[in-house]
Amino acid sequence: MLQNDFQRGSGPFSRSLWLVAGASAVIALLAVNVISMAKNVQRLNENARSVVQSYETIAHLEQVLSLVKDAETGQRGFLITGNPDYLEPYNQSITEIANAIDQVAQLIATDASQRELLSKLRDRVDSKLSELQTTIDLRQTAGLESAQQMVLSNQGKAAMDSIRAIVSEMVQTERRQLQVRSQEADRAYRTAILTGLISGLLALAALTAFLIALRKYLNTRDRAATTIAAQAENLKITLASIGDGVIATDAQDRVTNLNTVAEALTGWTIAEAMSQPLEQVFQIVNESSRESVLNPVFRALAEGTIVGLANHTVLIAKDGTERPIDDSAAPIRDRLGEVIGCVLVFRDVSDRQQQERQLRDSRERLELALTAAKLGQWDLDLADNTTVRTLKHDQIFGYDALLPEWTYETFLEHVFVSDRPAVDAAFRHSVETGSPCDFECRIRRADGTRRWIWVKAIVQKNAAGQNSRMIGMVGDITRQRQAEADLRESEQRFRQIADTMPQIVWVTRPDGYHEYYNRRWYDYVGCTPEECLGTGWNAPLHPEDQQKAIDRWSHSLRTGEPYEVEYRFRSYAGEYRWFLGRALPVKDDNDQITRWFGTSTDIEDFKQAEAERNQLAADLFEADRRKDEFLATLAHELRTPLAPIRNGLQILQRTHSNNYSGNETTERIQAMMARQLNQMVQLVDELMDVSRISRGKVTLRPEPVEVSAIIEQAVETCRPDIEAAQQILTVTLPPQSVYLQADSMRLVQVFSNLLNNACKYSEPGAEISLSAEPSDKDLTVSIKDTGIGISAEMLPRIFDLFTQVEGAFERASGTGATADQGGLGIGLTLVKQLVEMHEGSVQAYSAGLGRGSEFVVQLPMITPTAQAADSGESSLPTANIRRIVIVDDNEDSAMTLAMLFEMTGDETQTAHDGLQAVEIAAAFQPDIALLDIGLPGLNGYEVAERIRQQPGGESIILVALTGWGQVEDRQKSSAAGFDAHMVKPVDHDALLILLQELMAA
């Protein structure tokens, strides 16, 4: 019977063998599953690292190329402008390039072919940087032309093309490796899933068969107990050795078993979890919504099929720990196919998600770098003409968001029609030959605006070696193009202006090399640019002027001081003419001279006029010298006979005092001689005074003096003559004290001369009056007589030197007490000169001969405020410190007016155009704004309106200072919001008074 059972394979021994075989199969399948999954996970990790490494290598290679371009851009900006600010991107790129290359070296350390290419790249980069530094040094030391010659040698372009080629080759190698690694990663992933699923299913199938057999063995427990225990132990060990968590349930989804991995992940021990509902032990939610997720066990039990979890599922352990997982559930069936339970296999995918995040972050960093550089990236599939772009790409073309579709034709539609043939030819040539694509063109954005862009791209091949993709970047270069156009326009405008100037205009480098002359120079000297540039300006110089001009030029180059010298240039016809050469250094923000700007102005006519003036001045000086000699000789000759006359008079007086019995005739003769002597002494003194005043050798000693004291002193001087003539003198003085800033001695001389004149030319017994009347600013002194008067023809010449009033000669040669009081016609000239030196005036009036005359003197009075000014205090209106904006496109006018206000303690700022005035007014918050009307940018009316619209602008005092003074101009300024209108040139004192009145209003 036992033999029959063995032969049928249905005895206990046969069943044991089958159970052992089933357990072994389960263990083998599980082991194979574990090993296969471990290897697949390891392979996935390695592939993920390789993919990330490839992306990072490509990014760093493109960074190296970008940094070299930035260095070249900074170098070109510096070469063109000479401005050291353009070297900032160059210097920054130099410091970053070596680091970027070192990072690439670390990433490709295991790739021999890439290391060899990197070594070449390092050499090419070093060569390029050396070439850039050489051109920069040439620009700084030898100037733009030497640096341009270095650039035009194409050494830099060749180095840059070599760098691009090496970077392109390395990037293509990495992309090929990336494609292979991506395919391997996909195959490894699919293999892992498939093998895991198959081995899991096989293991589960074997386990199911084992469990069915085990149940059959329950009826023969005694004979199969050992085998069943061994199988159970084997199953436990197998489950414990699996890297995934395994939970088994019955048909009612209650937990029947779980391995140690499941215990660790769920936080439940097998003892705690036994017979517990699965949803309590295995609690899962959606990672984002936090809503509960349908457990796959339920579907597996209900549908009898294998079910997997959705992505983004999180397992919440008993202690609250959360882990991202993926899993699958398979039903357990009995030998009749009935579902009697379920096996749930799950795993922690935190590491895998971390790797995915790192890969995603790497891609985002690359896109951020391109965005920061304001570059758009695109990837064109040449087969289906579809393009993947970054947002920045579409923004450059004027779109706020990515368009749903972008093809090569879409791009061409934005390109200017005139540029399309060249762009299309460049694109197709690149696609056909596989060479890099690099061009600039104009586009019309979505909003219709026009922009300049550059496009750079490379072509990639597929596995079959065909050109399948074009990957590139696009950048907006409108500002760069506009700056280049502005520079060309500015230079052209400068040349046009310079060529229309009558002066010779020239520009030199910092070392003195003449690099530009305007048309006037070539027309004058008749040379060619090749002959004149550099030091060719020396040749036309007059031999006598060469060393002087060269020495002064060398001094200016050495010290940086402005250059100014007069020299003679020879024209093409051989004629020498005088020129005034001037040059100013043009400096950058670092106070370094970037060039010299000079002019040479023809001053030949001025030189000739100056020579004529000098000759005339010499002749006048000689005549004046001879006149002075004559006057001095005349004075000497006149004074010589006066000494013995005076001595004789003294002898007669002493003799008379010693009881000499004289007679009336002798006394009369003595009196006559004394009068004549005094008259002659006065004439000589006046003659010398006129001479000294004419030569400017008389200086006043002004001080505050009281008028009454001066007049009284003059009256006392003249009183003896007036009394001798028995004339009546009436003096009227102001009741209050009146002060003048004057030389008291000279004013006594003025009034005594006028009183003497009145006495001389009036009959005995005549009336003479002197009155002094103050007004608002001036003192008026009138001296009136009833004497011989002045004819109408004589009045205009009365103050001329040596002029005599008609009838004076007869009066001087007549008889009587005053018949000897004539003069040389000097006194009134002296009066006029002295009064004008005191900033006053004198006028003569007469109704005609025999009807008397009047002389009126006006002198400026000083007020108590003025007196304080003369003692060192200010006489100007004073006020608190005011904030004043002065706006005038004439910088000298604005500067000098600001200096006047600063002398009164005010705080000022200046502006020279309308827009600048509005900005300064907003920031400075002035109390007063003094505005010119004819301003560039905005005129004065517009500036006033904008200032009034600013916060606080309604309280600012606005005064128009302009050359326009018609009625309609004043109406315009008032309508624009001005408080006052003054016409240039403006008296500063009057302006101060006006501002004081406006601020007090």
Short mmCIF file of all heavy atoms in Angstrom, two decimals, residues 630-667:
data_model
loop_
_atom_site.label_atom_id
_atom_site.label_comp_id
_atom_site.label_asym_id
_atom_site.label_seq_id
_atom_site.Cartn_x
_atom_site.Cartn_y
_atom_site.Cartn_z
N PHE A 630 55.76 168.80 -18.13
CA PHE A 630 55.45 170.21 -18.35
C PHE A 630 54.79 170.82 -17.12
O PHE A 630 55.17 171.91 -16.68
CB PHE A 630 54.54 170.36 -19.57
CG PHE A 630 53.87 171.70 -19.66
CD1 PHE A 630 54.60 172.83 -20.04
CD2 PHE A 630 52.53 171.85 -19.32
CE1 PHE A 630 53.98 174.08 -20.10
CE2 PHE A 630 51.93 173.09 -19.39
CZ PHE A 630 52.65 174.21 -19.78
N LEU A 631 53.77 170.07 -16.56
CA LEU A 631 53.08 170.61 -15.39
C LEU A 631 54.03 170.73 -14.21
O LEU A 631 54.00 171.72 -13.44
CB LEU A 631 51.90 169.72 -15.03
CG LEU A 631 50.72 169.74 -16.01
CD1 LEU A 631 49.67 168.72 -15.61
CD2 LEU A 631 50.10 171.13 -16.09
N ALA A 632 54.89 169.70 -14.05
CA ALA A 632 55.84 169.77 -12.95
C ALA A 632 56.82 170.93 -13.14
O ALA A 632 57.15 171.67 -12.19
CB ALA A 632 56.60 168.45 -12.84
N THR A 633 57.27 171.09 -14.40
CA THR A 633 58.18 172.21 -14.68
C THR A 633 57.47 173.53 -14.48
O THR A 633 58.03 174.49 -13.91
CB THR A 633 58.70 172.10 -16.12
OG1 THR A 633 59.35 170.84 -16.29
CG2 THR A 633 59.67 173.23 -16.44
N LEU A 634 56.20 173.63 -14.96
CA LEU A 634 55.44 174.85 -14.79
C LEU A 634 55.25 175.19 -13.32
O LEU A 634 55.41 176.34 -12.88
CB LEU A 634 54.09 174.71 -15.48
CG LEU A 634 53.11 175.90 -15.33
CD1 LEU A 634 53.73 177.16 -15.96
CD2 LEU A 634 51.78 175.57 -15.99
N ALA A 635 54.90 174.16 -12.53
CA ALA A 635 54.73 174.39 -11.09
C ALA A 635 56.03 174.87 -10.46
O ALA A 635 56.04 175.78 -9.61
CB ALA A 635 54.25 173.10 -10.43
N HIS A 636 57.11 174.21 -10.91
CA HIS A 636 58.41 174.63 -10.36
C HIS A 636 58.71 176.08 -10.73
O HIS A 636 59.15 176.89 -9.90
CB HIS A 636 59.51 173.69 -10.89
CG HIS A 636 60.89 174.08 -10.45
ND1 HIS A 636 61.71 174.93 -11.20
CD2 HIS A 636 61.59 173.77 -9.33
CE1 HIS A 636 62.84 175.11 -10.57
NE2 HIS A 636 62.81 174.40 -9.42
N GLU A 637 58.52 176.43 -12.00
CA GLU A 637 58.80 177.78 -12.45
C GLU A 637 57.88 178.81 -11.80
O GLU A 637 58.27 179.94 -11.55
CB GLU A 637 58.68 177.86 -13.98
CG GLU A 637 59.70 177.03 -14.73
CD GLU A 637 61.12 177.47 -14.43
OE1 GLU A 637 61.34 178.69 -14.22
OE2 GLU A 637 62.02 176.61 -14.41
N LEU A 638 56.62 178.40 -11.53
CA LEU A 638 55.69 179.32 -10.87
C LEU A 638 56.04 179.50 -9.40
O LEU A 638 55.92 180.60 -8.85
CB LEU A 638 54.25 178.82 -11.01
CG LEU A 638 53.63 178.91 -12.41
CD1 LEU A 638 52.27 178.22 -12.44
CD2 LEU A 638 53.49 180.36 -12.84
N ARG A 639 56.44 178.40 -8.77
CA ARG A 639 56.74 178.49 -7.35
C ARG A 639 58.07 179.24 -7.10
O ARG A 639 58.27 179.84 -6.04
CB ARG A 639 56.81 177.09 -6.74
CG ARG A 639 55.44 176.45 -6.54
CD ARG A 639 55.54 175.20 -5.68
NE ARG A 639 54.24 174.67 -5.34
CZ ARG A 639 53.73 173.55 -5.81
NH1 ARG A 639 54.44 172.84 -6.66
NH2 ARG A 639 52.54 173.13 -5.44
N THR A 640 58.99 179.21 -8.08
CA THR A 640 60.30 179.85 -7.89
C THR A 640 60.17 181.36 -7.58
O THR A 640 60.79 181.85 -6.63
CB THR A 640 61.18 179.62 -9.12
OG1 THR A 640 61.39 178.21 -9.26
CG2 THR A 640 62.53 180.33 -8.97
N PRO A 641 59.42 182.13 -8.34
CA PRO A 641 59.30 183.56 -8.01
C PRO A 641 58.42 183.83 -6.81
O PRO A 641 58.41 184.94 -6.27
CB PRO A 641 58.70 184.16 -9.27
CG PRO A 641 57.94 183.05 -9.89
CD PRO A 641 58.70 181.81 -9.61
N LEU A 642 57.63 182.85 -6.37
CA LEU A 642 56.75 183.10 -5.23
C LEU A 642 57.54 183.26 -3.93
O LEU A 642 57.15 183.99 -3.02
CB LEU A 642 55.73 181.95 -5.09
CG LEU A 642 54.71 181.82 -6.22
CD1 LEU A 642 53.79 180.63 -5.97
CD2 LEU A 642 53.90 183.08 -6.37
N ALA A 643 58.67 182.54 -3.85
CA ALA A 643 59.46 182.58 -2.60
C ALA A 643 59.97 183.99 -2.31
O ALA A 643 59.76 184.52 -1.20
CB ALA A 643 60.61 181.57 -2.69
N PRO A 644 60.65 184.63 -3.25
CA PRO A 644 61.09 185.99 -2.92
C PRO A 644 59.93 186.95 -2.71
O PRO A 644 60.03 187.88 -1.92
CB PRO A 644 61.94 186.39 -4.13
CG PRO A 644 61.52 185.48 -5.24
CD PRO A 644 61.12 184.22 -4.59
N ILE A 645 58.83 186.80 -3.43
CA ILE A 645 57.67 187.67 -3.20
C ILE A 645 57.19 187.53 -1.78
O ILE A 645 56.91 188.51 -1.08
CB ILE A 645 56.55 187.35 -4.21
CG1 ILE A 645 57.00 187.71 -5.64
CG2 ILE A 645 55.28 188.11 -3.87
CD1 ILE A 645 56.01 187.31 -6.70
N ARG A 646 57.03 186.25 -1.33
CA ARG A 646 56.55 186.04 0.03
C ARG A 646 57.57 186.61 1.04
O ARG A 646 57.19 187.22 2.05
CB ARG A 646 56.33 184.55 0.28
CG ARG A 646 55.96 184.23 1.73
CD ARG A 646 55.35 182.85 1.84
NE ARG A 646 53.99 182.84 1.30
CZ ARG A 646 53.24 181.75 1.19
NH1 ARG A 646 53.72 180.57 1.55
NH2 ARG A 646 52.03 181.81 0.70
N ASN A 647 58.87 186.43 0.76
CA ASN A 647 59.88 186.98 1.66
C ASN A 647 59.78 188.50 1.71
O ASN A 647 59.88 189.12 2.78
CB ASN A 647 61.28 186.58 1.19
CG ASN A 647 61.50 185.08 1.37
OD1 ASN A 647 60.84 184.44 2.19
ND2 ASN A 647 62.45 184.52 0.61
N GLY A 648 59.60 189.12 0.53
CA GLY A 648 59.48 190.58 0.50
C GLY A 648 58.29 191.05 1.31
O GLY A 648 58.36 192.07 2.02
N LEU A 649 57.15 190.37 1.17
CA LEU A 649 55.96 190.74 1.94
C LEU A 649 56.23 190.63 3.43
O LEU A 649 55.81 191.49 4.23
CB LEU A 649 54.79 189.84 1.55
CG LEU A 649 54.12 190.14 0.21
CD1 LEU A 649 53.11 189.06 -0.14
CD2 LEU A 649 53.46 191.50 0.24
N GLN A 650 56.93 189.59 3.84
CA GLN A 650 57.22 189.44 5.26
C GLN A 650 58.14 190.58 5.75
O GLN A 650 57.98 191.08 6.87
CB GLN A 650 57.89 188.07 5.50
CG GLN A 650 56.93 186.91 5.31
CD GLN A 650 57.61 185.56 5.49
OE1 GLN A 650 58.84 185.51 5.66
NE2 GLN A 650 56.81 184.52 5.46
N ILE A 651 59.11 190.97 4.90
CA ILE A 651 59.98 192.09 5.29
C ILE A 651 59.16 193.35 5.46
O ILE A 651 59.32 194.11 6.44
CB ILE A 651 61.09 192.30 4.23
CG1 ILE A 651 62.06 191.10 4.26
CG2 ILE A 651 61.86 193.61 4.47
CD1 ILE A 651 63.07 191.11 3.13
N LEU A 652 58.25 193.63 4.51
CA LEU A 652 57.42 194.83 4.61
C LEU A 652 56.55 194.78 5.86
O LEU A 652 56.37 195.80 6.54
CB LEU A 652 56.55 194.95 3.36
CG LEU A 652 57.27 195.33 2.05
CD1 LEU A 652 56.31 195.28 0.88
CD2 LEU A 652 57.88 196.72 2.18
N GLN A 653 55.97 193.54 6.14
CA GLN A 653 55.11 193.45 7.33
C GLN A 653 55.91 193.70 8.60
O GLN A 653 55.45 194.37 9.53
CB GLN A 653 54.44 192.06 7.36
CG GLN A 653 53.40 191.89 6.27
CD GLN A 653 52.89 190.45 6.17
OE1 GLN A 653 53.45 189.57 6.81
NE2 GLN A 653 51.88 190.25 5.35
N ARG A 654 57.12 193.13 8.66
CA ARG A 654 57.93 193.35 9.86
C ARG A 654 58.35 194.82 9.98
O ARG A 654 58.39 195.39 11.07
CB ARG A 654 59.17 192.45 9.81
CG ARG A 654 58.83 190.99 10.02
CD ARG A 654 60.09 190.12 9.90
NE ARG A 654 59.75 188.71 10.06
CZ ARG A 654 60.63 187.73 9.95
NH1 ARG A 654 61.90 188.00 9.67
NH2 ARG A 654 60.25 186.47 10.11
N THR A 655 58.70 195.40 8.84
CA THR A 655 59.08 196.82 8.87
C THR A 655 57.93 197.67 9.35
O THR A 655 58.08 198.59 10.15
CB THR A 655 59.51 197.27 7.47
OG1 THR A 655 60.60 196.46 7.03
CG2 THR A 655 59.97 198.75 7.49
N HIS A 656 56.71 197.37 8.85
CA HIS A 656 55.52 198.12 9.27
C HIS A 656 55.25 197.94 10.76
O HIS A 656 54.88 198.89 11.46
CB HIS A 656 54.32 197.67 8.44
CG HIS A 656 53.05 198.36 8.82
ND1 HIS A 656 52.85 199.72 8.54
CD2 HIS A 656 51.94 197.93 9.47
CE1 HIS A 656 51.66 200.06 8.99
NE2 HIS A 656 51.08 198.99 9.56
N SER A 657 55.54 196.76 11.27
CA SER A 657 55.29 196.50 12.68
C SER A 657 56.33 197.19 13.57
O SER A 657 56.12 197.41 14.74
CB SER A 657 55.29 194.99 12.97
OG SER A 657 56.58 194.44 12.69
N ASN A 658 57.52 197.61 12.97
CA ASN A 658 58.57 198.33 13.74
C ASN A 658 58.42 199.84 13.56
O ASN A 658 59.40 200.57 13.33
CB ASN A 658 59.95 197.88 13.28
CG ASN A 658 60.24 196.43 13.68
OD1 ASN A 658 59.73 195.99 14.70
ND2 ASN A 658 61.06 195.75 12.90
N ASN A 659 57.18 200.30 13.62
CA ASN A 659 56.87 201.73 13.57
C ASN A 659 57.29 202.38 12.26
O ASN A 659 57.61 203.57 12.19
CB ASN A 659 57.51 202.49 14.74
CG ASN A 659 56.97 202.00 16.08
OD1 ASN A 659 55.78 201.74 16.17
ND2 ASN A 659 57.82 201.91 17.06
N TYR A 660 57.32 201.53 11.21
CA TYR A 660 57.57 202.15 9.91
C TYR A 660 56.32 202.91 9.51
O TYR A 660 55.23 202.33 9.52
CB TYR A 660 57.92 201.06 8.88
CG TYR A 660 58.02 201.58 7.48
CD1 TYR A 660 59.16 202.28 7.07
CD2 TYR A 660 56.99 201.38 6.57
CE1 TYR A 660 59.26 202.75 5.79
CE2 TYR A 660 57.10 201.86 5.28
CZ TYR A 660 58.24 202.53 4.90
OH TYR A 660 58.32 203.00 3.60
N SER A 661 56.54 204.20 9.22
CA SER A 661 55.36 205.02 8.93
C SER A 661 55.03 204.88 7.46
O SER A 661 55.59 205.55 6.60
CB SER A 661 55.61 206.50 9.27
OG SER A 661 56.68 207.01 8.52
N GLY A 662 54.12 203.92 7.19
CA GLY A 662 53.71 203.76 5.81
C GLY A 662 52.52 204.61 5.50
O GLY A 662 52.06 205.39 6.31
N ASN A 663 52.00 204.47 4.37
CA ASN A 663 50.81 205.21 3.98
C ASN A 663 49.78 204.22 3.45
O ASN A 663 50.01 203.01 3.34
CB ASN A 663 51.18 206.26 2.94
CG ASN A 663 51.93 205.66 1.76
OD1 ASN A 663 51.63 204.55 1.33
ND2 ASN A 663 52.92 206.38 1.24
N GLU A 664 48.64 204.76 3.07
CA GLU A 664 47.52 203.92 2.62
C GLU A 664 47.88 203.18 1.36
O GLU A 664 47.50 202.03 1.16
CB GLU A 664 46.30 204.82 2.39
CG GLU A 664 45.08 204.04 1.96
CD GLU A 664 43.88 204.97 1.76
OE1 GLU A 664 43.98 206.17 2.06
OE2 GLU A 664 42.87 204.43 1.28
N THR A 665 48.65 203.80 0.49
CA THR A 665 49.03 203.14 -0.77
C THR A 665 49.86 201.90 -0.51
O THR A 665 49.64 200.84 -1.12
CB THR A 665 49.80 204.12 -1.65
OG1 THR A 665 49.00 205.25 -1.91
CG2 THR A 665 50.19 203.45 -2.97
N THR A 666 50.76 202.01 0.44
CA THR A 666 51.61 200.85 0.76
C THR A 666 50.77 199.71 1.29
O THR A 666 50.96 198.54 0.93
CB THR A 666 52.67 201.27 1.79
OG1 THR A 666 53.45 202.34 1.24
CG2 THR A 666 53.58 200.10 2.10
N GLU A 667 49.79 200.01 2.17
CA GLU A 667 48.94 198.94 2.72
C GLU A 667 48.12 198.28 1.62
O GLU A 667 47.93 197.05 1.62
CB GLU A 667 48.03 199.55 3.78
CG GLU A 667 48.79 200.02 5.01
CD GLU A 667 47.87 200.68 6.02
OE1 GLU A 667 46.66 200.79 5.70
OE2 GLU A 667 48.35 201.05 7.10
#
